[in-house]
Amino acid sequence: MLMQRQAYLAFFGLTPDKDVSIDPMTIAAIANGGTSVTLQANNDIKVNEAIIMSPPGCCGGLTLQAGRSILLHANISSDSGQITLIANDPAAVSS
């Protein structure tokens, strides 16, 4: 049985009133190891630097869930992992 590994680097209940920055290389390194990554923000998620998940066949997925907006100022790419973006997520915590 194949088990999917999941890493939550930031989630709705963690410091709902704070800004958090996560290095895109950290996200890519986790996904490149085959673990799916989920980032949750109560307000906005801003991607300011490219997130590149490679080589082919290696990658876990990336899910971004925001209580408001997801702002893409840089590319997100994956050779094999699913990329999911969810804005206005009702599960977000009000600050």
Side-chain angles (χ1 to χ4, degrees), residues 22-45:
I22 300 171
D23 188 321
M25 291 178 66
T26 299
I27 296 167
I30 293 168
N32 288 349
T35 299
S36 291
V37 177
T38 297
L39 302 175
Q40 296 176 330
N42 294 305
N43 292 313
D44 300 328
I45 294 177

Side-chain angles (χ1 to χ4, degrees), residues 81-94:
Q82 180 175 339
I83 297 171
T84 304
L85 307 177
I86 302 169
N88 296 312
D89 194 314
V93 177
S94 299

Side-chain angles (χ1 to χ4, degrees), residues 1 3 14 26 54 58 65 72 77:
M1 180 166 101
M3 298 200 49
L14 179 69
T26 299
S54 62
C58 73
Q65 295 172 264
L72 300 177
S77 65

Side-chain angles (χ1 to χ4, degrees), residues 1-80:
M1 180 166 101
L2 179 63
M3 298 200 49
Q4 179 67 34
R5 295 178 297 182
Q6 182 71 40
Y8 287 87
L9 296 182
F11 52 92
F12 290 134
L14 179 69
T15 60
D17 58 344
K18 303 284 186 225
D19 289 342
V20 176
S21 294
I22 300 171
D23 188 321
M25 291 178 66
T26 299
I27 296 167
I30 293 168
N32 288 349
T35 299
S36 291
V37 177
T38 297
L39 302 175
Q40 296 176 330
N42 294 305
N43 292 313
D44 300 328
I45 294 177
K46 298 175 187 173
V47 177
N48 292 320
E49 295 181 46
I51 301 171
I52 302 169
M53 298 172 286
S54 62
C58 73
C59 305
L62 174 63
T63 300
L64 304 180
Q65 295 172 264
R68 292 191 324 190
S69 301
I70 298 174
L71 306 168
L72 300 177
H73 301 290
N75 292 334
I76 300 174
S77 65
S78 174
D79 286 327
S80 58

